[in-house]
Structures are given as structure tokens and as C-alpha cells.
Amino acid sequence: MSSDCSICSSITTILYLIPLLFALIVIPFRLISDTRRKSRTVAFFHPYCNAGGGGERVLWAAIRTMQKKFPDRKFYVYSGDTDATKEQILLKARQRFGIELDPTNVHFIYMHWRTLVEARHYPHFTMLFQALAGLVLSLEAWIRMVPEIFIDSMGYPLSLPTFRLAGSKVVAYVHYPTISCDMLDVVESRQQTFNNSSTIAQSNFLSWAKLAYYRLFACLYWLAGKTAHVVMVNGSWTQRHITAIWSRRDVSIVYPPCDVEEFMKIESVAERILEEKKTVRLLSVGQIRPEKNHKLQLEVLHDIKEPLKKKGYNVELCIAGGCRNEEDELRVKTLKKEAKELGIEEELRFELNIPYENLIDELSKALISIHTMHNEHFGISVVEAMAASTVILSNDSGGPKMDIVKDFDGKCVGYLSITREEYAETVLKIVGEGRSQRDKIREQARKSLSRFSDSAFETHWNKQIEKVL
């Protein structure tokens, strides 16, 4: 009996100590934050602001529109790009996206612990350790400055409660949920994917353990999401998952800014290249990451090479991708090795970290833009490709399926595929259906894109931001 009382007493003590310890940490943290907070400041948490991807386009477009709308505010970016100066970062934003910012009202706060969030450090439990590393990185950001408004524009969930506890107004722009219902379903159904290895998929115990880990992480993610004052997402697919995981009904869609007007100015020469040089040019635009599934593109290139050759056509694939670090460079080497094994190295070309002007040139020459990521959260490159008059062939999932490549006024704007065979068949179909049909698809695709323009983004972004100003 005394033993039972002792256990109960210990549990009661622990239950009392938990809120006490929490208060001892949080209260001083908040008091220090209150004395250090800079008024009329807006800070974006974007450790890889110089990466040159779709997320960076959102960052720079958001700052540009807020500089115009709220000129009395001071704008900061928490950046881990310690190897680049402010001038170099802003130059890349202009060269890659054509976005000009007022350099006098954007300042960079450099963080030196960014390496902690890189996946290469965590071969196991990657998602959890990266989230915890993001917490450490957000504490470094807190040490350097406490803003009035904090915007996580890159997807580090534990940065949200950090700055909420610091007294900042917290905004989340979610490109892609850290964990989604689809990820839970993949593990539960024991499917093999790039983030669910065959070893785990084939084991009852490992699948059960991973599912338990995912569910625990989903609880942590839910708690983090509850701390944001405003939540924006980039499309219907992300909205569906964030609404479910975070149990929120105030999740607003703000489509990423796509420079539709500028890309529509591109004069396509793809048909001339097809007619005169008998060359079918394919273009893939996207960062060199495993989920982009560039391997599938190589397999499709292999499968269409001979059928097109029999029809008198050559084929070329240009992969224009952002290469962020050594991991990405290693992936490029692996892709080149696979291309050699498939016998397509002569038909494949890489344009890494391609400048804006060169991207325009590549788009003007491409007959077909190919996109292979499953459950892409949105797909800025898909919109840009359609605006540039390439015929889009995207993955039949996620944002492209739900928001972009769907019939407009009952007419086709592009094509969707899932399997290697479907992709190859669709490329051959596009080439074989003739210029007249391709022109109809291009025209209809362009008509469908007004909702993704820079001006539409600015209107919806400012509407949401005004809630915390």
C-alpha cells in the first residue's frame, strides 16, 4: 500500500513540476523578447533564400509587394547563405525571377547554424531531427532579432511556436506539409517510395514502428500549426492536408506568383525546330531533389528515343534545375551515370542554376515541358511552361492535377500522366497530333492562367497580411 502511495505521490509531483518548469522557461523568454522586439519590422524566416526555386520566388514577390503596400515597415530576411552578400542575393533574385526590390529596405540577418537542418546529418528519423534542428535555427534567429511580425516562408514548423512565445505576430506560408495524410497512407498501405524504403515496406514491425513515429510527429506538427495567427498555403492540395493535420478552418489559398505576363511574351520557336531540324525538345524545370523524380524523365527519354527516330525525329531533354548543395551535385552525378547506362547521354543536357535570361531561351525552344513529381504541392514551373507556349506534360497528382492542368471552359490545356508508359505514350501522342491541335492547347492553356499572375498574388497576399498589421 505504501508503495502505491509513493508512486502516486511521484506522479503528482511530476505533473506539478511540468507546468512549473514550462513557466520558468517561457516567462523569462517572453520578458527578454518584449525588451528586444523591434517595432514595425517584418522578418521572413527563409534560410535558403538564395536557392533560386519556386519558394524563393514567393519570398521575393512577397517582399516586393509589401515594400509597395507598407513602405513604413522595415523588412528582414533570416538567411543562412553566409557565402553571399546582400547585393549578390538581390542580383540573383533579379536574374532568376526578374524581381526588382528596393535594396534600401530589405536587410539580411545571417544565421551560422543552417547546416544543422540539412538532411545529410540525419540518415534516420530525418523528419524529426530536421524539425528539431529548425527549432535550434529559429532560436539563433531569435537571438539575432525579434521582429513584430514573423513569417515562416520555408516550412520550419517549430519556428512558429518559438516566435509566438516571443510575442511576435506569426504567419505561415506553407508550400508543402512536413507530414501529410498521404505520407501516413503510404506507410500504412506499405507502399515503396523514395521516402519509404522496401526494407520498411516489406516488414510488419518496421511499418508499424514508422507509422507510430509518423503519428507522434503529426501531433507535434499539429501543436506547431496551432500557434500561427495567419496560415496561407499555395494550392488546393496543400490546403486539404494542412486543414486536416492542423485542424484549422482558416487556411487560405494564396497561389504562388507566376510571372505569367512576362512568360507570355516569349516567342516560341519549338515548332520551327521540329519542322526544320526534326528535333523534339523536352524541358524539365525544377530543383535537383529526389522527390522531383528526374530518374523517371530519363526512363521516358529512353523509351521515346527509338519510336521518334523511326518517325525521323531526334529528341533532346534539358534539365534546368537548381543545385543547392553537395547532395544535389551528387544526385546530378548519379543521373548522368544512369543516363549513360540507358544510352541517352547524347540526348541529355543539364543547365544547373540557370539564369532567368537563359531559362527564357530554353522555354522558347521546348516543344514539351515535362514534370514528374508525385503530389507536387503546386507547380510554379508548370504554370510558367504553359504561359511560355510549351505543351505541358505533368504528373497526375497534387497541385498540377487539382489547380493547374485541368480543362478550362471544357477544353484541354495540357496532359497528365503517372507511369513511365503513360508518359512515353503521351509524348508520342503530342508529337503525332500535329501543330494545329498543339496550338489549340497552347491558346487554351494561356487563357487559364490569369489566376496565377503576380497581380493576383499581390492582392491575396496583402489581404492576409493585413490581418496581423
Side-chain angles (χ1 to χ4, degrees):
M1 185 72 177
S2 60
S3 176
D4 290 342
C5 289
S6 176
I7 292 171
C8 290
S9 177
S10 298
I11 292 172
T12 304
T13 303
I14 291 170
L15 291 175
Y16 276 116
L17 283 175
I18 288 173
L20 178 61
L21 288 171
F22 183 77
L24 288 173
I25 295 171
V26 170
I27 292 174
F29 180 79
R30 180 58 182 268
L31 290 172
I32 294 169
S33 299
D34 287 343
T35 61
R36 296 179 57 244
R37 190 179 308 111
K38 288 190 175 183
S39 63
R40 311 195 72 77
T41 55
V42 179
F44 289 79
F45 191 71
H46 209 105
Y48 290 89
C49 71
N50 206 32
E56 287 65 62
R57 172 176 263 285
V58 172
L59 168 68
W60 305 128
I63 294 175
R64 179 179 62 184
T65 187
M66 292 181 74
Q67 282 182 338
K68 291 186 289 186
K69 181 76 173 178
F70 311 107
D72 59 326
R73 301 279 172 167
K74 292 182 179 179
F75 299 96
Y76 294 82
V77 179
Y78 294 110
S79 170
D81 296 295
T82 55
D83 58 340
T85 65
K86 170 182 174 177
E87 291 73 23
Q88 289 171 329
I89 294 173
L90 296 182
L91 176 63
K92 185 170 182 177
R94 181 176 63 80
Q95 291 178 335
R96 176 67 181 87
F97 305 114
I99 294 178
E100 292 273 6
L101 299 176
D102 174 7
T104 64
N105 192 18
V106 57
H107 313 280
F108 291 86
I109 300 172
Y110 289 100
M111 300 182 294
H112 299 274
W113 300 347
R114 189 183 71 178
T115 184
L116 295 176
V117 300
E118 293 178 7
R120 61 188 172 88
H121 298 303
Y122 316 110
H124 305 293
F125 300 100
T126 309
M127 191 166 57
L128 175 62
F129 284 121
Q130 278 192 298
L132 294 174
L135 171 62
V136 175
L137 196 61
S138 68
L139 288 172
E140 182 188 4
W142 172 82
I143 289 169
R144 298 187 184 283
M145 191 190 79
V146 181
E148 183 179 329
I149 297 171
F150 173 85
I151 303 175
D152 171 34
S153 52
M154 202 167 178
Y156 291 95
L158 297 185
S159 70
L160 305 176
T162 300
F163 280 88
R164 179 66 184 259
L165 290 172
S168 299
K169 295 290 181 66
V170 174
V171 178
Y173 185 90
V174 184
H175 296 275
Y176 198 86
T178 305
I179 188 165
S180 67
C181 304
D182 288 348
M183 291 169 66
L184 293 166
D185 291 341
V186 163
V187 178
E188 194 164 15
S189 60
R190 297 172 66 178
Q191 298 175 40
Q192 181 183 342
T193 65
F194 75 92
N195 60 356
N196 194 48
S197 69
S198 58
T199 304
I200 293 174
Q202 292 169 12
S203 166
N204 286 326
F205 174 74
L206 292 178
S207 291
W208 174 85
K210 186 168 184 177
L211 189 61
Y213 158 57
Y214 270 18
R215 284 174 174 162
L216 286 170
F217 185 84
C219 290
L220 179 65
Y221 194 52
W222 169 78
L223 287 169
K226 285 292 187 182
T227 61
H229 293 91
V230 173
V231 179
M232 295 179 271
V233 295
N234 60 355
S236 303
W237 185 88
T238 310
Q239 183 189 49
R240 178 164 63 90
H241 287 283
I242 288 297
T243 298
I245 295 278
W246 284 1
S247 302
R248 298 185 65 138
R249 296 185 179 182
D250 59 345
V251 179
S252 302
I253 294 177
V254 178
Y255 289 125
C258 306
D259 200 358
V260 172
E261 295 86 354
E262 196 62 32
F263 280 87
M264 282 186 177
K265 295 176 185 176
I266 296 173
E267 184 180 347
S268 176
V269 295
E271 293 290 350
R272 192 165 74 235
I273 292 173
L274 180 67
E275 184 180 340
E276 296 176 1
K277 298 184 178 181
K278 297 297 180 182
T279 300
V280 177
R281 298 192 65 157
L282 279 66
L283 176 65
S284 166
V285 180
Q287 289 185 329
I288 308 296
R289 302 204 306 261
E291 63 268 27
K292 296 296 183 181
N293 202 0
H294 289 98
K295 182 181 178 181
L296 176 56
Q297 297 172 13
L298 303 190
E299 293 169 345
V300 173
L301 180 60
H302 169 267
D303 292 350
I304 64 176
K305 179 181 174 180
E306 287 305 317
L308 287 174
K309 189 175 181 180
K310 289 177 181 177
K311 294 181 179 181
Y313 295 111
N314 299 313
V315 62
E316 295 177 5
L317 169 62
C318 173
I319 296 179
C323 208
R324 302 164 299 173
N325 49 39
E326 290 180 8
E327 289 178 70
D328 291 350
E329 290 170 4
L330 183 60
R331 292 187 187 106
V332 172
K333 290 180 181 178
T334 302
L335 288 169
K336 287 180 178 179
K337 182 181 177 182
E338 290 174 352
K340 189 173 182 179
E341 292 171 354
L342 289 168
I344 55 171
E345 66 268 32
E346 295 298 322
E347 288 76 26
L348 178 64
R349 180 165 52 88
F350 284 90
E351 293 289 343
L352 302 176
N353 299 320
I354 186 169
Y356 182 77
E357 294 80 4
N358 294 21
L359 176 63
I360 297 297
D361 185 57
E362 292 296 337
L363 283 165
S364 72
K365 296 174 183 176
L367 182 75
I368 300 168
S369 284
I370 185 169
H371 169 275
T372 49
M373 178 177 169
H374 182 68
N375 279 337
E376 171 77 88
H377 42 290
F378 179 69
I380 290 179
S381 64
V382 174
V383 174
E384 292 175 343
M386 292 165 67
S389 286
T390 69
V391 179
I392 188 67
L393 172 53
S394 189
N395 195 269
D396 192 10
S397 64
K401 178 182 181 179
M402 297 177 72
D403 291 318
I404 307 170
V405 191
K406 57 183 184 179
D407 288 357
F408 183 73
D409 290 341
K411 296 179 181 178
C412 176
V413 301
Y415 295 95
L416 296 166
S417 295
I418 283 284
T419 65
R420 172 178 176 173
E421 293 75 19
E422 288 176 359
Y423 271 98
E425 288 170 9
T426 306
V427 171
L428 297 175
K429 176 185 175 182
I430 293 169
V431 175
E433 64 189 359
R435 179 169 183 171
S436 176
Q437 178 61 20
R438 289 193 293 268
D439 284 341
K440 289 178 182 178
I441 293 171
R442 292 183 181 109
E443 182 183 359
Q444 203 63 21
R446 286 181 158 204
K447 287 180 180 178
S448 71
L449 300 179
S450 60
R451 64 192 186 280
F452 306 125
S453 66
D454 278 343
S455 58
F457 169 80
E458 291 181 359
T459 299
H460 292 105
W461 176 273
N462 288 333
K463 181 180 177 182
Q464 296 302 318
I465 288 297
E466 283 173 347
K467 294 177 182 179
V468 292
L469 285 176

